[in-house]
Amino acid sequence: MQLKITPSILGIDYGRMNEHLAELAPHSDMFHVDVMDGNFVPNLTIGAPVVACIKTEVPLDCHLMIRNPHRYIEDFAKAGAASITIHAEASLHLAPDVEKIKKAGCKACVAISPDTPVEKISAVLPMLDMVLVMSVVPGFGGQAFIPEVLDKVRWIREHYPELDIQIDGGINDKTAPLAIEAGANVLVAGSYILKSEDYGKAVESLKK
Ligand code: DX5
Ligand code: ZN
């Protein structure tokens, strides 16, 4: 599986969003756009109108931490999302919502929070382009990696050898090798990259 590194843009300087993203772009396979609704998660971030202002060649991977995400899927597709992730815990009807993402022309991904068993998504796994195993409780950057979620990564990799498995939360040069060893191939990293002095070096250190 190809290893992909996707910086989370949660911690960028939104006052100079496109300039900051241009600095990250050479080191990014995708940009991970954290969308939080202040309801499914306590934090509140950006919506589709801000995503529509992003000017980049890097594919936008929108992680919707939104309750009842079906209401916003088309908005994010129109705003330029290449892939859209919805949470299994936040969707009322998971399979129809996955279909809606595909119909909108985006790659479809479903996320599970650390406490959510993989059984919750077993029916939709065959429909997905990517699955996201959260390694922190969604809502904030800068939290510590929860190693227990790696068992879910291992299970999914064993049953879906070709599926992109994304992991998000607390990824750094110590936790990335654990995630890769378990079978994850798409690493989201927020604070580790953005707080580093050299984005290129930080990204390279995640691939070792
Ligand atoms: C957490 C977000 C993450 C976050 C990762 O709810 O989904 O994408 O930005 O940040 P770090 O890498 O700092 O844990
Ligand atoms: Zn995220």
Side-chain angles (χ1 to χ4, degrees):
M1 293 298 293
Q2 195 202 338
L3 180 63
K4 296 176 201 155
I5 308 291
T6 86
S8 162
I9 69 167
L10 185 63
I12 62 161
D13 178 354
Y14 281 92
R16 52 175 206 100
M17 179 173 74
N18 283 316
E19 291 86 339
H20 202 166
L21 293 180
E23 293 162 18
L24 277 165
H27 316 291
S28 307
D29 292 305
M30 299 190 282
F31 284 139
H32 181 87
V33 180
D34 283 311
V35 178
M36 305 188 186
D37 69 349
N39 180 313
F40 175 61
V41 292
N43 205 356
L44 189 62
T45 61
I46 60 169
V50 177
V51 174
C53 294
I54 298 177
K55 291 186 179 58
T56 181
E57 298 295 313
V58 177
L60 301 179
D61 174 37
C62 292
H63 176 196
L64 305 189
M65 287 161 273
I66 300 180
R67 208 175 287 289
N68 301 336
H70 64 275
R71 299 173 296 169
Y72 298 100
I73 286 167
E74 277 155 17
D75 290 351
F76 282 93
K78 283 193 193 125
S83 49
I84 294 181
T85 300
I86 56 174
H87 265 264
E89 307 84 6
S91 158
L92 282 173
H93 304 289
L94 200 50
D97 286 356
V98 168
E99 288 296 355
K100 201 176 171 100
I101 296 173
K102 293 185 167 183
K103 219 173 151 195
C106 299
K107 290 191 172 174
C109 176
V110 168
I112 46 174
S113 294
D115 286 345
T116 303
V118 80
E119 288 74 28
K120 174 115 181 161
I121 55 167
S122 46
V124 295
L125 272 172
M127 302 165 63
L128 300 181
D129 298 296
M130 182 162 74
V131 63
L132 167 52
V133 177
M134 289 298 299
S135 40
V136 297
V137 175
F140 299 94
Q143 303 180 75
F145 184 80
I146 301 172
E148 285 76 13
V149 307
L150 293 175
D151 284 342
K152 292 190 279 189
V153 174
R154 277 188 205 98
W155 188 91
I156 299 169
R157 178 53 72 221
E158 191 181 318
H159 292 83
Y160 294 88
E162 301 301 324
L163 183 64
D164 275 332
I165 304 179
Q166 187 175 45
I167 191 154
D168 179 15
I171 292 293
N172 56 40
D173 58 346
K174 308 281 181 303
T175 56
L178 306 176
I180 294 167
E181 186 275 327
N185 68 304
V186 185
L187 308 185
V188 178
S191 14
Y192 179 71
I193 295 174
L194 281 162
K195 289 191 174 156
S196 72
E197 285 178 3
D198 183 329
Y199 296 151
K201 270 192 193 155
V203 166
E204 285 310 310
S205 73
L206 295 176
K207 293 180 177 168
K208 281 178 187 153

